[in-house]
Protein backbone atom coordinates (compact mmCIF):
# COMPACT_ATOMS: atom_id res chain seq x y z
CA UNK A 1 0.00 0.00 0.00
CA UNK A 2 1.40 3.40 -1.01
CA UNK A 3 0.50 5.86 1.75
CA UNK A 4 2.12 8.86 0.06
CA UNK A 5 -0.25 11.36 -1.55
CA UNK A 6 0.18 12.33 -5.20
CA UNK A 7 0.57 15.97 -6.27
CA UNK A 8 -3.10 15.98 -7.28
CA UNK A 9 -4.16 14.64 -3.90
CA UNK A 10 -2.06 17.20 -2.06
CA UNK A 11 -3.65 19.92 -4.21
CA UNK A 12 -7.08 18.59 -3.23
CA UNK A 13 -6.12 18.75 0.45
CA UNK A 14 -5.11 22.38 -0.05
CA UNK A 15 -8.47 23.02 -1.70
CA UNK A 16 -10.31 21.56 1.29
CA UNK A 17 -8.25 23.70 3.66
CA UNK A 18 -9.05 26.83 1.62
CA UNK A 19 -12.73 25.99 1.72
CA UNK A 20 -12.59 25.64 5.51
CA UNK A 21 -10.71 28.92 5.92
CA UNK A 22 -13.22 30.80 3.74
CA UNK A 23 -16.46 29.21 4.99
CA UNK A 24 -15.97 28.07 8.59
CA UNK A 25 -16.87 31.40 10.18
CA UNK A 26 -16.36 32.65 13.73
CA UNK A 27 -19.96 32.02 14.81
CA UNK A 28 -19.68 28.36 13.80
CA UNK A 29 -16.28 28.02 15.49
CA UNK A 30 -17.64 29.42 18.76
CA UNK A 31 -20.60 27.04 18.63
CA UNK A 32 -18.39 24.03 17.88
CA UNK A 33 -16.17 24.91 20.83
CA UNK A 34 -19.20 24.56 23.13
CA UNK A 35 -20.84 21.44 21.71
CA UNK A 36 -20.44 18.06 23.36
CA UNK A 37 -22.52 16.14 20.80
CA UNK A 38 -21.46 17.57 17.44
CA UNK A 39 -24.81 19.33 17.02
CA UNK A 40 -24.95 23.12 16.98
CA UNK A 41 -27.80 25.56 16.31
CA UNK A 42 -29.94 24.52 13.35
CA UNK A 43 -29.35 27.74 11.40
CA UNK A 44 -25.59 27.21 11.67
CA UNK A 45 -25.82 23.63 10.39
CA UNK A 46 -27.96 24.84 7.50
CA UNK A 47 -25.51 27.62 6.69
CA UNK A 48 -22.57 25.20 6.66
CA UNK A 49 -24.41 22.55 4.66
CA UNK A 50 -25.58 25.02 2.03
CA UNK A 51 -21.99 26.18 1.57
CA UNK A 52 -20.89 22.57 1.18
CA UNK A 53 -23.67 21.96 -1.32
CA UNK A 54 -22.67 24.99 -3.38
CA UNK A 55 -19.22 23.44 -3.60
CA UNK A 56 -20.70 20.03 -4.47
CA UNK A 57 -19.32 18.46 -1.29
CA UNK A 58 -22.38 17.90 0.90
CA UNK A 59 -22.87 14.23 0.07
CA UNK A 60 -19.54 12.44 -0.49
CA UNK A 61 -21.21 9.02 -0.39
CA UNK A 62 -23.81 9.83 -3.09
CA UNK A 63 -23.40 8.61 -6.68
CA UNK A 64 -22.62 11.37 -9.17
CA UNK A 65 -25.97 10.88 -10.89
CA UNK A 66 -27.70 12.16 -7.76
CA UNK A 67 -25.27 14.96 -6.97
CA UNK A 68 -22.27 13.24 -5.37
CA UNK A 69 -18.74 14.53 -6.09
CA UNK A 70 -17.40 11.30 -7.60
CA UNK A 71 -14.35 11.24 -5.37
CA UNK A 72 -11.76 8.49 -5.17
CA UNK A 73 -11.36 6.70 -1.81
CA UNK A 74 -8.22 8.76 -1.17
CA UNK A 75 -10.06 12.04 -1.77
CA UNK A 76 -12.82 10.96 0.60
CA UNK A 77 -10.19 10.07 3.20
CA UNK A 78 -8.41 13.42 2.77
CA UNK A 79 -11.71 15.29 3.02
CA UNK A 80 -12.83 13.50 6.20
CA UNK A 81 -9.46 13.85 7.91
CA UNK A 82 -9.04 17.52 7.01
CA UNK A 83 -12.53 18.46 8.17
CA UNK A 84 -12.03 16.58 11.43
CA UNK A 85 -8.63 18.19 12.05
CA UNK A 86 -10.23 21.63 11.64
CA UNK A 87 -13.08 20.76 14.00
CA UNK A 88 -15.60 21.71 11.31
CA UNK A 89 -19.36 21.13 11.87
CA UNK A 90 -20.77 17.74 11.04
CA UNK A 91 -23.27 17.24 8.26
CA UNK A 92 -26.40 16.22 10.17
CA UNK A 93 -26.62 12.60 9.02
CA UNK A 94 -30.31 11.74 9.01
CA UNK A 95 -31.12 13.06 5.55
CA UNK A 96 -27.88 12.98 3.52
CA UNK A 97 -26.20 9.87 4.92
CA UNK A 98 -29.03 7.69 6.21
CA UNK A 99 -32.32 8.31 4.40
CA UNK A 100 -30.97 9.31 0.99
CA UNK A 101 -29.33 5.93 0.19
CA UNK A 102 -32.62 4.20 1.09
CA UNK A 103 -34.57 6.50 -1.24
CA UNK A 104 -32.04 5.88 -4.02
CA UNK A 105 -32.28 2.10 -3.67
CA UNK A 106 -35.93 1.50 -2.72
CA UNK A 107 -37.78 4.74 -3.49
CA UNK A 108 -40.00 5.49 -6.46
CA UNK A 109 -38.90 7.97 -9.11
CA UNK A 110 -41.40 10.46 -7.67
CA UNK A 111 -39.84 10.06 -4.20
CA UNK A 112 -36.34 10.54 -5.60
CA UNK A 113 -37.35 13.73 -7.41
CA UNK A 114 -39.20 15.08 -4.37
CA UNK A 115 -36.82 14.30 -1.53
CA UNK A 116 -33.24 14.05 -2.80
CA UNK A 117 -32.88 17.65 -4.08
CA UNK A 118 -34.39 18.98 -0.84
CA UNK A 119 -31.93 16.95 1.22
CA UNK A 120 -29.01 18.33 -0.79
CA UNK A 121 -30.31 21.87 -0.41
CA UNK A 122 -30.91 21.37 3.36
CA UNK A 123 -34.49 22.56 2.85
CA UNK A 124 -36.02 19.52 4.57
CA UNK A 125 -34.66 18.54 7.99
CA UNK A 126 -35.03 14.87 8.93
CA UNK A 127 -34.94 12.77 12.09
CA UNK A 128 -34.99 9.01 12.62
CA UNK A 129 -37.86 7.03 14.17
CA UNK A 130 -36.57 3.54 14.91
CA UNK A 131 -36.33 2.87 18.66
CA UNK A 132 -39.41 2.62 20.87
CA UNK A 133 -39.85 2.13 24.61
CA UNK A 134 -38.99 -1.54 25.02
CA UNK A 135 -37.75 -1.89 21.43
CA UNK A 136 -34.18 -0.71 21.20
CA UNK A 137 -31.61 -3.39 20.44
CA UNK A 138 -34.50 -5.76 19.67
CA UNK A 139 -35.74 -3.41 16.99
CA UNK A 140 -37.99 -5.98 15.32
CA UNK A 141 -40.23 -5.98 18.41
CA UNK A 142 -41.44 -2.44 17.61
CA UNK A 143 -45.18 -1.86 17.99
CA UNK A 144 -45.99 1.57 16.47
CA UNK A 145 -49.22 0.68 14.69
CA UNK A 146 -49.86 1.66 11.08
CA UNK A 147 -53.30 0.85 9.64
CA UNK A 148 -54.28 0.94 5.98
CA UNK A 149 -57.35 3.19 5.72
CA UNK A 150 -57.73 2.97 1.97
CA UNK A 151 -56.57 6.42 0.84
CA UNK A 152 -54.08 6.92 3.71
CA UNK A 153 -52.28 5.23 6.60
CA UNK A 154 -53.21 5.91 10.23
CA UNK A 155 -50.36 5.77 12.76
CA UNK A 156 -50.45 5.39 16.55
CA UNK A 157 -47.55 4.85 18.94
CA UNK A 158 -44.30 6.52 19.87
CA UNK A 159 -40.59 6.67 19.10
CA UNK A 160 -37.90 7.39 21.67
CA UNK A 161 -34.32 8.73 21.83
CA UNK A 162 -35.14 10.69 18.67
CA UNK A 163 -32.17 13.03 18.17
CA UNK A 164 -32.97 16.59 17.07
CA UNK A 165 -36.68 15.80 16.57
CA UNK A 166 -37.53 19.25 17.94
CA UNK A 167 -35.98 20.78 14.80
CA UNK A 168 -37.13 18.23 12.22
CA UNK A 169 -39.56 18.80 9.34
CA UNK A 170 -39.91 15.08 8.56
CA UNK A 171 -39.25 11.75 10.26
CA UNK A 172 -38.58 8.37 8.66
CA UNK A 173 -40.16 5.62 10.72
CA UNK A 174 -40.34 1.88 11.02
CA UNK A 175 -43.99 0.99 11.68
CA UNK A 176 -45.97 -2.18 12.34
CA UNK A 177 -48.26 -2.91 9.38
CA UNK A 178 -48.93 -6.59 10.11
CA UNK A 179 -48.73 -9.08 12.99
CA UNK A 180 -46.74 -12.07 11.74
CA UNK A 181 -44.94 -15.05 13.27
CA UNK A 182 -41.64 -13.52 12.16
CA UNK A 183 -41.84 -9.91 13.40
CA UNK A 184 -39.48 -8.56 10.75
CA UNK A 185 -42.00 -9.46 8.04
CA UNK A 186 -44.69 -7.10 9.35
CA UNK A 187 -42.68 -3.86 9.32
CA UNK A 188 -42.88 -1.02 6.80
CA UNK A 189 -40.75 2.08 6.16
CA UNK A 190 -42.78 5.31 6.26
CA UNK A 191 -42.07 9.04 5.85
CA UNK A 192 -44.11 11.28 8.17
CA UNK A 193 -44.49 15.06 8.21
CA UNK A 194 -43.66 16.32 11.71
CA UNK A 195 -46.28 19.07 11.33
CA UNK A 196 -49.07 16.52 10.90
CA UNK A 197 -51.94 16.75 13.41
CA UNK A 198 -51.36 14.25 16.21
CA UNK A 199 -47.53 14.48 16.26
CA UNK A 200 -46.14 15.62 19.62
CA UNK A 201 -42.45 16.02 20.51
CA UNK A 202 -41.54 15.66 24.19
CA UNK A 203 -37.96 16.50 25.24
CA UNK A 204 -35.82 14.08 27.25
CA UNK A 205 -33.25 15.87 29.40
CA UNK A 206 -30.18 13.69 29.94
CA UNK A 207 -27.46 13.79 32.59
CA UNK A 208 -25.06 15.82 30.42
CA UNK A 209 -27.61 18.60 29.76
CA UNK A 210 -27.65 21.26 32.51
CA UNK A 211 -30.09 23.41 30.54
CA UNK A 212 -32.94 22.89 28.08
CA UNK A 213 -30.94 24.87 25.52
CA UNK A 214 -28.61 21.89 25.14
CA UNK A 215 -31.33 19.25 24.81
CA UNK A 216 -30.64 16.60 22.17
CA UNK A 217 -33.04 13.63 22.40
CA UNK A 218 -36.82 13.36 22.50
CA UNK A 219 -39.81 11.05 22.59
CA UNK A 220 -42.19 11.54 19.66
CA UNK A 221 -45.87 10.58 20.05
CA UNK A 222 -48.22 9.74 17.18
CA UNK A 223 -51.94 9.97 17.90
CA UNK A 224 -54.16 9.09 14.89
CA UNK A 225 -51.63 10.61 12.49
CA UNK A 226 -52.71 10.44 8.84
CA UNK A 227 -49.92 9.68 6.36
CA UNK A 228 -50.34 9.73 2.55
CA UNK A 229 -49.92 6.39 0.81
CA UNK A 230 -47.17 7.83 -1.41
CA UNK A 231 -44.98 8.19 1.72
CA UNK A 232 -44.39 4.44 1.89
CA UNK A 233 -40.83 3.58 0.83
CA UNK A 234 -40.45 0.13 -0.71
CA UNK A 235 -43.11 -2.56 -0.44
CA UNK A 236 -45.64 -2.88 2.37
CA UNK A 237 -44.38 -5.22 5.13
CA UNK A 238 -40.88 -5.17 3.57
CA UNK A 239 -39.50 -2.26 5.58
CA UNK A 240 -37.02 -4.44 7.44
CA UNK A 241 -34.97 -4.67 4.25
CA UNK A 242 -34.84 -0.86 4.09
CA UNK A 243 -34.02 -0.68 7.79
CA UNK A 244 -31.03 -3.03 7.55
CA UNK A 245 -29.71 -1.19 4.51
CA UNK A 246 -29.96 2.16 6.31
CA UNK A 247 -28.15 0.84 9.38
CA UNK A 248 -25.09 0.06 7.26
CA UNK A 249 -24.78 3.79 6.60
CA UNK A 250 -25.60 4.78 10.18
CA UNK A 251 -22.95 2.45 11.59
CA UNK A 252 -20.32 2.67 8.85
CA UNK A 253 -18.86 6.01 9.88
CA UNK A 254 -15.27 7.21 9.69
CA UNK A 255 -14.25 7.79 13.31
CA UNK A 256 -10.47 8.17 13.13
CA UNK A 257 -10.29 11.86 12.19
CA UNK A 258 -12.24 13.09 15.20
CA UNK A 259 -10.54 10.54 17.43
CA UNK A 260 -7.11 11.89 16.48
CA UNK A 261 -8.30 15.44 17.13
CA UNK A 262 -9.63 14.38 20.52
CA UNK A 263 -6.38 12.63 21.41
CA UNK A 264 -4.40 15.74 20.48
CA UNK A 265 -6.62 17.70 22.87
CA UNK A 266 -5.82 15.21 25.64
CA UNK A 267 -2.09 15.59 24.96
CA UNK A 268 -2.35 19.36 25.37
CA UNK A 269 -4.19 18.86 28.65
CA UNK A 270 -1.51 16.40 29.84
CA UNK A 271 1.22 18.90 28.99
CA UNK A 272 -0.53 21.61 31.03
CA UNK A 273 -1.55 19.52 34.05
CA UNK A 274 1.15 18.66 36.56
CA UNK A 275 1.86 15.76 38.88
CA UNK A 276 4.11 15.48 41.92
CA UNK A 277 7.41 17.32 41.66
CA UNK A 278 6.07 19.80 39.10
CA UNK A 279 6.39 17.39 36.20
CA UNK A 280 3.71 17.50 33.49
CA UNK A 281 1.15 14.71 33.52
CA UNK A 282 2.32 13.52 30.11
CA UNK A 283 5.55 12.34 31.77
CA UNK A 284 3.65 10.03 34.10
CA UNK A 285 4.54 6.53 32.82
CA UNK A 286 1.09 5.06 33.37
CA UNK A 287 -0.74 7.93 31.69
CA UNK A 288 1.68 8.13 28.77
CA UNK A 289 1.29 4.37 28.22
CA UNK A 290 -2.48 4.80 28.01
CA UNK A 291 -2.02 7.63 25.51
CA UNK A 292 0.27 5.47 23.39
CA UNK A 293 -2.16 2.55 23.47
CA UNK A 294 -5.02 4.81 22.39
CA UNK A 295 -2.95 6.14 19.49
CA UNK A 296 -2.08 2.60 18.33
CA UNK A 297 -5.72 1.53 18.41
CA UNK A 298 -6.86 4.66 16.54
CA UNK A 299 -4.22 4.00 13.84
CA UNK A 300 -5.47 0.42 13.49
CA UNK A 301 -9.04 1.68 13.13
CA UNK A 302 -7.92 4.19 10.51
CA UNK A 303 -6.40 1.41 8.39
CA UNK A 304 -9.65 -0.55 8.66
CA UNK A 305 -11.61 2.51 7.57
CA UNK A 306 -9.39 2.92 4.53
CA UNK A 307 -9.84 -0.73 3.57
CA UNK A 308 -13.63 -0.58 3.88
CA UNK A 309 -13.80 2.77 2.08
CA UNK A 310 -11.87 1.29 -0.83
CA UNK A 311 -14.25 -1.65 -0.99
CA UNK A 312 -17.33 0.57 -0.97
CA UNK A 313 -16.02 2.81 -3.75
CA UNK A 314 -15.34 -0.25 -5.92
CA UNK A 315 -19.03 -1.12 -5.71
CA UNK A 316 -18.90 -3.63 -2.86
CA UNK A 317 -21.62 -3.45 -0.23
CA UNK A 318 -20.17 -2.42 3.15
CA UNK A 319 -22.46 -4.98 4.84
CA UNK A 320 -21.44 -6.37 8.22
CA UNK A 321 -18.13 -4.48 8.11
CA UNK A 322 -20.10 -1.46 9.34
CA UNK A 323 -20.43 -3.29 12.65
CA UNK A 324 -16.62 -3.39 12.97
CA UNK A 325 -16.39 0.38 12.55
CA UNK A 326 -19.28 1.06 14.90
CA UNK A 327 -17.92 -1.20 17.65
CA UNK A 328 -14.30 -0.08 17.62
CA UNK A 329 -15.08 3.56 16.82
CA UNK A 330 -17.45 3.99 19.74
CA UNK A 331 -15.20 2.13 22.18
CA UNK A 332 -12.35 4.44 21.24
CA UNK A 333 -14.59 7.50 21.60
CA UNK A 334 -15.16 6.43 25.18
CA UNK A 335 -11.47 5.74 25.70
CA UNK A 336 -10.48 9.24 24.56
CA UNK A 337 -13.09 11.00 26.72
CA UNK A 338 -12.01 8.88 29.71
CA UNK A 339 -8.43 10.02 29.15
CA UNK A 340 -9.59 13.63 29.01
CA UNK A 341 -11.55 13.19 32.25
CA UNK A 342 -8.51 11.71 34.00
CA UNK A 343 -6.26 14.46 32.63
CA UNK A 344 -8.27 17.34 34.13
CA UNK A 345 -8.63 15.53 37.48
CA UNK A 346 -10.73 17.36 40.07
CA UNK A 347 -11.58 20.10 37.57
CA UNK A 348 -14.04 17.57 36.16
CA UNK A 349 -16.16 17.82 39.30
CA UNK A 350 -17.66 21.34 38.88
CA UNK A 351 -19.30 20.13 35.61
CA UNK A 352 -19.22 23.59 34.04
CA UNK A 353 -22.33 23.88 31.86
CA UNK A 354 -21.74 24.80 28.23
CA UNK A 355 -24.55 27.35 28.17
CA UNK A 356 -24.45 30.00 25.46
CA UNK A 357 -24.46 33.48 26.95
CA UNK A 358 -23.63 32.38 30.51
CA UNK A 359 -21.54 34.94 32.39
CA UNK A 360 -20.35 32.81 35.30
CA UNK A 361 -16.57 32.38 35.40
CA UNK A 362 -15.22 28.99 34.38
CA UNK A 363 -13.91 26.93 37.28
CA UNK A 364 -10.43 25.76 36.42
CA UNK A 365 -8.56 26.04 33.11
CA UNK A 366 -10.42 26.69 29.86
CA UNK A 367 -9.58 23.25 28.49
CA UNK A 368 -11.49 21.61 31.38
CA UNK A 369 -14.74 23.27 30.34
CA UNK A 370 -17.09 20.70 28.80
CA UNK A 371 -14.93 17.64 29.55
CA UNK A 372 -17.50 16.25 32.00
CA UNK A 373 -20.40 16.82 29.61
CA UNK A 374 -18.58 15.12 26.73
CA UNK A 375 -17.56 12.22 28.96
CA UNK A 376 -21.14 11.68 30.10
CA UNK A 377 -22.57 12.07 26.60
CA UNK A 378 -20.20 9.45 25.18
CA UNK A 379 -21.64 6.78 27.52
CA UNK A 380 -24.44 6.36 24.96
CA UNK A 381 -22.37 5.64 21.85
CA UNK A 382 -21.86 1.93 22.51
CA UNK A 383 -25.65 1.56 22.85
CA UNK A 384 -27.23 3.60 20.04
CA UNK A 385 -27.45 2.38 16.41
CA UNK A 386 -27.52 -1.14 17.79
CA UNK A 387 -25.61 -1.91 20.99
CA UNK A 388 -22.07 -3.20 20.64
CA UNK A 389 -23.20 -6.55 22.06
CA UNK A 390 -25.59 -6.83 19.10
CA UNK A 391 -22.80 -5.74 16.71
CA UNK A 392 -20.60 -8.60 17.96
CA UNK A 393 -23.42 -11.03 17.27
CA UNK A 394 -23.67 -9.67 13.73
CA UNK A 395 -19.92 -9.96 13.18
CA UNK A 396 -19.75 -13.49 14.57
CA UNK A 397 -22.56 -14.64 12.30
CA UNK A 398 -21.96 -12.74 9.05
CA UNK A 399 -18.17 -12.30 9.09
CA UNK A 400 -16.86 -15.28 11.07
CA UNK A 401 -19.67 -17.66 10.09
CA UNK A 402 -20.21 -18.88 13.64
Amino acid sequence: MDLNFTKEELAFRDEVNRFIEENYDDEMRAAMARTRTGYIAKHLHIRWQKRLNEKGWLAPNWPQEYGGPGWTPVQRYIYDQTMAAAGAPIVVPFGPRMLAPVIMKFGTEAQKKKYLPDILASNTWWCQGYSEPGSGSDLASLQMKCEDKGDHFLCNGSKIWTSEAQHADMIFCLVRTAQTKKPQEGISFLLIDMKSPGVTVSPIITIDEPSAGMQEVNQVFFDDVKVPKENLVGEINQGWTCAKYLLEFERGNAYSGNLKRGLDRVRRMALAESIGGGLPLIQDPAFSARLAQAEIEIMALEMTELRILGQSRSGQNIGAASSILKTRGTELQQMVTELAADAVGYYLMPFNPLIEGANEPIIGPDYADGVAARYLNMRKVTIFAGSNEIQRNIMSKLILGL
Side-chain angles (χ1 to χ4, degrees), residues 72-136:
T72 66
V74 175
Q75 285 177 302
R76 174 68 187 275
Y77 169 78
I78 290 171
Y79 174 81
D80 287 341
Q81 295 290 317
T82 306
M83 286 291 183
I90 64 169
V91 171
V92 178
F94 307 111
R97 199 178 72 227
M98 295 164 64
L99 175 63
V102 173
I103 296 286
M104 292 174 197
K105 187 172 180 66
F106 301 101
T108 63
E109 287 304 313
Q111 288 170 340
K112 294 174 186 177
K113 290 178 181 178
K114 179 177 181 179
Y115 294 114
L116 295 181
D118 267 3
I119 291 173
L120 272 182
S122 297
N123 292 335
T124 302
W125 212 248
W126 291 86
C127 62
Q128 179 187 26
Y130 271 27
S131 293
E132 297 179 5
S135 296

Side-chain angles (χ1 to χ4, degrees), residues 15 33 89 125 132 137 160 169 176 188 196 210 224 232 258 279 298 319 341 360 398:
E15 184 182 2
W125 212 248
E132 297 179 5
S137 295
I160 202 167
D169 305 302
R176 175 68 57 193
S188 298
S196 301
D224 285 341
L232 175 71
N258 284 317
L279 293 174
I298 291 170
E360 295 88 353
L398 299 182

Side-chain angles (χ1 to χ4, degrees), residues 18-224:
R18 283 195 302 272
F19 176 87
I20 294 170
E21 184 177 350
E22 294 168 2
N23 292 279
Y24 186 20
D25 60 45
D26 290 342
E27 188 179 6
M28 293 179 196
R29 291 177 186 272
M32 285 299 295
R34 292 189 300 268
T35 183
R36 83 268 180 267
T37 64
Y39 296 117
I40 53 180
K42 181 178 178 179
H43 74 279
L44 295 178
H45 274 302
I46 290 176
R47 182 193 304 170
W48 176 247
Q49 292 183 190
K50 284 185 176 294
R51 290 174 182 177
L52 285 172
N53 188 42
E54 289 170 4
K55 185 70 173 175
W57 290 356
L58 179 71
N61 61 315
W62 288 26
Q64 282 183 281
E65 63 183 292
Y66 293 115
W71 286 340
T72 66
V74 175
Q75 285 177 302
R76 174 68 187 275
Y77 169 78
I78 290 171
Y79 174 81
D80 287 341
Q81 295 290 317
T82 306
M83 286 291 183
I90 64 169
V91 171
V92 178
F94 307 111
R97 199 178 72 227
M98 295 164 64
L99 175 63
V102 173
I103 296 286
M104 292 174 197
K105 187 172 180 66
F106 301 101
T108 63
E109 287 304 313
Q111 288 170 340
K112 294 174 186 177
K113 290 178 181 178
K114 179 177 181 179
Y115 294 114
L116 295 181
D118 267 3
I119 291 173
L120 272 182
S122 297
N123 292 335
T124 302
W125 212 248
W126 291 86
C127 62
Q128 179 187 26
Y130 271 27
S131 293
E132 297 179 5
S135 296
S137 295
D138 182 17
L139 187 58
S141 68
L142 65 90
Q143 293 300 315
M144 179 170 162
K145 190 175 182 181
C146 177
E147 299 176 89
D148 189 338
K149 294 297 184 179
D151 62 344
H152 66 274
F153 294 114
L154 191 68
C155 294
N156 285 279
S158 73
K159 296 294 178 179
I160 202 167
W161 312 122
T162 314
S163 298
E164 301 297 294
Q166 71 271 34
H167 301 307
D169 305 302
M170 298 282 293
I171 182 171
F172 53 90
C173 282
L174 295 180
V175 294
R176 175 68 57 193
T177 44
Q179 294 292 340
T180 59
K181 289 184 178 180
K182 188 175 181 180
Q184 292 89 340
E185 294 175 355
I187 292 173
S188 298
F189 193 100
L190 203 61
L191 312 178
I192 303 176
D193 190 330
M194 292 290 284
K195 297 183 291 296
S196 301
V199 176
T200 305
V201 178
S202 179
I204 299 173
I205 306 302
T206 55
I207 193 172
D208 62 323
E209 298 169 354
S211 79
M214 294 177 60
Q215 176 246 328
E216 177 190 5
V217 294
N218 307 268
Q219 185 167 3
V220 184
F221 296 91
F222 302 85
D223 184 13
D224 285 341

